[in-house]
Amino acid sequence: MNLPAGFDPARPWLAPYAPRAAAMTAPLARGAGVAAVLSGQGADVGLPAGPLRFVQADAAPPGEAYEAFIFRTAQVPTRDNLHDLFNGLAWLHFPRAKRRLNELQAAEIARAGIGATRGPLRDALTLFDENGAVLDAPAALWAALLARDWPRLFMRERALWREARLLVFGHALLEKLVSPRKALTAHVLWAPGAVRSIAIDDAAIAAALEPDHLAGKPLAPLPVLGVPGWWPANEAPEFYDDPAVFRPARPPQH
């Protein structure tokens, strides 16, 4: 698999994954398959059906839902592409959270089957799995984020970002960030209850994935290249003068 130049473990959004990502570049460049490379990372992840394994994409029988197959077999069908490589990295680094997402998806599929729509719980699960992020930050940053008060979040409270940690969890978003674009937006999960922050910790993320909470779509949009230190251009205040990206909050509906 030919990795693009943008697959750079030194990027800030890849920091949690950097050691494994760096170790994978050589075998992938030599032509090893993504499933084999992920399996060679020494995963010790237990699922209800047994130890986690990465397998070729055609391992699942036709007609069986992807999440149901993983739950039944503890095997993750894996294509030779960036999307599935990042999905595997998420499994290796955050196995409890990924297991929790899979359990909830499989339970909903068993309950309601596969239809034209997923329903609110599966929508939230999919959005977080593909495009989610977790933010551990002071309350002032959370207040600004939830209000979509971008000048406060990124400029007036800029110094507070030194006390914050942002994890890009979603593998589709990690794939998109290989070719960074200003409009790329994470959906930040906030914790159940009064505390907004979730620790950048596998167990803490898994514990926040509660069905009743998720069904309310507790996800706040965050244009990730606006995060201080994540993109050189955002040092200039005019970077944020772009309402197509830094959109104001919608007025309340009556």
Side-chain angles (χ1 to χ4, degrees):
M1 176 181 172
N2 293 321
L3 290 171
F7 184 84
D8 181 1
R11 297 285 201 186
W13 44 85
L14 281 181
Y17 311 97
R20 280 196 173 100
M24 290 177 178
T25 55
L28 288 169
R30 291 194 297 267
V34 172
V37 171
L38 290 167
S39 295
Q41 285 294 306
D44 185 18
V45 180
L47 297 182
L52 176 72
R53 289 186 293 153
F54 298 95
V55 297
Q56 294 300 312
D58 59 2
E64 184 170 12
Y66 171 82
E67 296 287 356
F69 176 77
I70 295 172
F71 185 78
R72 180 175 66 82
T73 67
Q75 300 176 38
V76 179
T78 302
R79 300 163 296 181
D80 289 325
N81 60 26
L82 279 175
H83 188 90
D84 287 8
L85 175 62
F86 284 124
N87 183 49
L89 280 170
W91 268 108
L92 293 172
H93 284 267
F94 301 100
R96 293 186 186 182
K98 290 288 284 187
R99 171 177 169 164
R100 180 66 171 156
L101 289 167
N102 175 247
E103 288 172 344
L104 292 172
Q105 288 273 22
E108 280 296 287
I109 291 169
R111 182 188 66 81
I114 299 293
T117 60
R118 292 189 182 98
L121 176 55
R122 288 196 65 216
D123 277 347
L125 291 166
T126 301
L127 184 59
F128 181 69
D129 194 24
E130 296 277 347
N131 217 55
V134 173
L135 176 64
D136 186 7
L141 291 184
W142 270 102
L145 173 63
L146 295 176
R148 301 193 192 186
D149 186 342
W150 310 118
R152 179 185 175 193
L153 179 66
F154 291 125
M155 299 304 297
R156 295 199 298 276
E157 304 286 7
R158 196 172 185 86
L160 281 180
W161 280 96
R162 292 195 291 268
E163 303 173 30
R165 294 178 67 204
L166 177 68
L167 164 72
V168 176
F169 182 93
H171 54 280
L173 181 55
L174 287 169
E175 179 189 14
K176 293 170 189 173
L177 282 164
V178 169
S179 300
R181 294 179 289 107
K182 187 176 182 180
L184 292 178
T185 299
H187 288 80
V188 180
L189 177 70
W190 68 75
V195 178
R196 299 295 187 184
S197 282
I198 300 170
I200 308 300
D201 172 81
D202 189 24
I205 298 168
L209 297 171
E210 289 295 330
D212 290 344
H213 180 57
L214 289 167
K217 214 169 189 179
L219 297 155
L222 174 66
V224 292
L225 294 189
V227 174
W230 279 39
W231 198 242
N234 74 34
E235 292 296 324
E238 57 268 23
F239 179 85
Y240 301 104
D241 295 336
D242 186 347
V245 174
F246 301 98
R247 299 177 183 178
R250 298 186 186 95
Q253 299 295 314
H254 298 290

